[in-house]
Amino acid sequence: MSDFSPAAVPTGIVEVNGKPYMADAKGALMPVELIKPQHLLEDETVRKIMGFALALSEQVKRFKEHTFEDLGAFDAILEQQYGLTKGGPKGNRTYQTHDGLMKIEVRVNDLMDFGPELQVGKALLDECLNEWSADSRPEIRALITKTFNTDKEGQVNRALLFTMLSLEVEDTRWNRAMDAIREAIRVVGSKTYYRIQMRSAPDAPWTSVTIDLAKA
């Protein structure tokens, strides 16, 4: 039996002239005795789960803060005593136990946006597509179409965009388009991710410690 304590969640019951009422989804008050038993049970169940969910959310938040502080303190000691720093220029770092059975990976991903040069690059690529015959370079034609087929947020497919940048195409306008796209890329921030893993033996595969509710 877990000793994890749920957060306090209001009962939803208010007293009017000494009698218990509960509001419905439209805000109208209804006497508790007139509410169907199954609806009261459903209300109670949801509030119970919500209490644990709120407490767990707060605990995960504290865990992330403590992880950041503990690793930061270790880095400071490492630098102060030995003049060493963990990780590469982008801030990616890996920490491991002495027996090699537990590790924490810190990954820093750049948050990117694209400037107006992206539209210049797209226009040049459109010129390439118009001149290339329908039966030539079909893979590249499909790649361009998929890359700029924007998602719900109006963003291009970034993974395909970088795939396109890695291609070598003997076409002057293509290369000008790639230059424009590279100039359009702007790093507007970064986000840090923690990956915590463990294994039963040095030659065993790593398994992640699940914190994501969807993957638990």
Side-chain angles (χ1 to χ4, degrees), residues 88-109:
K90 287 192 175 183
N92 295 330
R93 310 184 298 282
T94 299
Y95 306 83
Q96 190 164 299
T97 56
H98 188 68
D99 60 10
L101 300 183
M102 303 176 190
K103 70 176 179 179
I104 300 173
E105 295 179 351
V106 180
R107 295 292 174 261
V108 181
N109 292 345

Side-chain angles (χ1 to χ4, degrees), residues 36-49:
K36 294 181 179 179
Q38 66 266 31
H39 292 169
L40 289 175
L41 180 59
E42 181 179 354
D43 179 276
E44 180 184 353
T45 302
V46 171
R47 291 178 190 276
K48 177 183 177 181
I49 295 173

Side-chain angles (χ1 to χ4, degrees), residues 79-95:
E79 185 173 5
Q80 181 180 358
Q81 292 187 356
Y82 306 102
L84 301 173
T85 56
K86 272 272 191 183
K90 287 192 175 183
N92 295 330
R93 310 184 298 282
T94 299
Y95 306 83

Side-chain angles (χ1 to χ4, degrees), residues 178-198:
M178 295 302 103
D179 290 339
I181 291 173
R182 290 187 182 95
E183 292 178 3
I185 298 174
R186 301 172 179 175
V187 178
V188 296
S190 63
K191 190 169 185 178
T192 301
Y193 298 88
Y194 298 98
R195 189 180 183 190
I196 303 173
Q197 297 179 294
M198 61 191 304

Side-chain angles (χ1 to χ4, degrees), residues 19-40:
K19 293 185 177 181
Y21 286 77
M22 295 184 75
D24 61 16
K26 296 181 179 180
L29 291 177
M30 180 178 294
V32 171
E33 64 266 22
L34 297 182
I35 301 175
K36 294 181 179 179
Q38 66 266 31
H39 292 169
L40 289 175

Side-chain angles (χ1 to χ4, degrees), residues 149-163:
N149 186 13
T150 57
D151 57 21
K152 293 180 181 179
E153 286 74 34
Q155 298 293 324
V156 299
N157 187 314
R158 299 182 182 188
L160 293 179
L161 184 69
F162 283 105
T163 298

Side-chain angles (χ1 to χ4, degrees), residues 3-216:
D3 58 356
F4 182 70
S5 300
V9 175
T11 63
I13 298 176
V14 296
E15 285 196 4
V16 178
N17 296 325
K19 293 185 177 181
Y21 286 77
M22 295 184 75
D24 61 16
K26 296 181 179 180
L29 291 177
M30 180 178 294
V32 171
E33 64 266 22
L34 297 182
I35 301 175
K36 294 181 179 179
Q38 66 266 31
H39 292 169
L40 289 175
L41 180 59
E42 181 179 354
D43 179 276
E44 180 184 353
T45 302
V46 171
R47 291 178 190 276
K48 177 183 177 181
I49 295 173
M50 183 62 69
F52 283 103
L54 291 173
L56 182 60
S57 176
E58 185 61 28
Q59 190 176 45
V60 170
K61 179 182 176 182
R62 291 196 304 270
F63 165 76
K64 187 174 182 179
E65 292 172 351
H66 287 311
T67 300
F68 177 82
E69 293 171 0
D70 291 344
L71 294 179
F74 171 79
D75 290 343
I77 293 172
L78 197 66
E79 185 173 5
Q80 181 180 358
Q81 292 187 356
Y82 306 102
L84 301 173
T85 56
K86 272 272 191 183
K90 287 192 175 183
N92 295 330
R93 310 184 298 282
T94 299
Y95 306 83
Q96 190 164 299
T97 56
H98 188 68
D99 60 10
L101 300 183
M102 303 176 190
K103 70 176 179 179
I104 300 173
E105 295 179 351
V106 180
R107 295 292 174 261
V108 181
N109 292 345
D110 290 333
L111 301 177
M112 294 183 301
D113 199 358
F114 297 96
E117 298 89 349
L118 185 67
Q119 296 306 317
V120 175
K122 176 61 166 59
L124 290 169
L125 291 175
D126 286 340
E127 290 183 15
C128 292
L129 288 178
N130 290 334
E131 289 200 3
W132 294 345
S133 61
D135 58 351
S136 67
R137 312 188 192 201
E139 297 86 1
I140 296 180
R141 294 174 65 90
L143 177 60
I144 294 173
T145 301
K146 290 181 180 179
T147 299
F148 290 94
N149 186 13
T150 57
D151 57 21
K152 293 180 181 179
E153 286 74 34
Q155 298 293 324
V156 299
N157 187 314
R158 299 182 182 188
L160 293 179
L161 184 69
F162 283 105
T163 298
M164 191 165 60
L165 286 171
S166 67
L167 297 178
E168 293 185 6
V169 178
E170 296 299 328
D171 188 290
T172 302
R173 275 171 303 189
W174 173 278
N175 293 324
R176 285 168 52 204
M178 295 302 103
D179 290 339
I181 291 173
R182 290 187 182 95
E183 292 178 3
I185 298 174
R186 301 172 179 175
V187 178
V188 296
S190 63
K191 190 169 185 178
T192 301
Y193 298 88
Y194 298 98
R195 189 180 183 190
I196 303 173
Q197 297 179 294
M198 61 191 304
R199 57 187 176 183
S200 57
D203 58 348
W206 290 102
T207 58
S208 295
V209 176
T210 303
I211 297 176
D212 186 351
L213 184 64
K215 298 179 181 179

